[in-house]
Amino acid sequence: MEINTRKTALIFKALGDENRIRILQLLQNGEICACKLLEELNITQPTLSHHMKILCDSEIVSSRKEGKWMHYSISADGAEFAISCLRELTNTK
């Protein structure tokens, strides 16, 4: 696999923040509405939006809109790609 440095940097940026790690831990149990994430994390809506944009840009998290709320879940394809990037970067050949 040839590394796409830009996409790989987005993945590591997404994983490089304590709040985003907490969000991923919450999403491990399945899809969650932004309103529930706000309750669990005790952060403001703009802060949550910032973190979710970074997670979605990395493609580790996917989103869908239902009414006025966004619902988020871990993307299986995005997670697998992140794992393969880490494997490739740490492969000592």
Side-chain angles (χ1 to χ4, degrees):
M1 172 179 129
E2 186 167 325
I3 295 286
N4 176 329
T5 55
R6 183 183 178 287
K7 191 169 179 179
T8 302
L10 288 173
I11 289 166
F12 284 100
K13 178 180 180 178
L15 298 174
D17 181 88
E18 188 176 331
N19 283 317
R20 291 191 286 273
I21 298 297
R22 289 175 59 211
I23 291 167
L24 289 171
Q25 289 173 322
L26 291 168
L27 294 175
Q28 286 178 315
N29 295 318
E31 184 180 78
I32 298 179
C33 177
C35 60
K36 295 294 182 198
L37 288 171
L38 285 169
E39 289 173 12
E40 291 289 329
L41 298 169
N42 196 29
I43 59 176
T44 66
Q45 189 278 324
T47 299
L48 178 63
S49 291
H50 168 76
H51 289 305
M52 297 317 297
K53 179 179 181 344
I54 291 169
L55 286 166
C56 289
D57 286 350
S58 75
E59 299 180 9
I60 294 173
V61 170
S62 57
S63 66
R64 68 177 183 83
K65 188 169 183 148
E66 185 176 302
K68 69 175 189 172
W69 290 107
M70 293 298 289
H71 295 259
Y72 298 99
S73 59
I74 293 176
S75 164
D77 290 341
E80 187 55 43
F81 184 77
I83 291 166
S84 66
C85 285
L86 181 60
R87 282 191 186 124
E88 185 66 26
L89 286 171
T90 57
N91 182 2
T92 58
K93 300 175 186 176

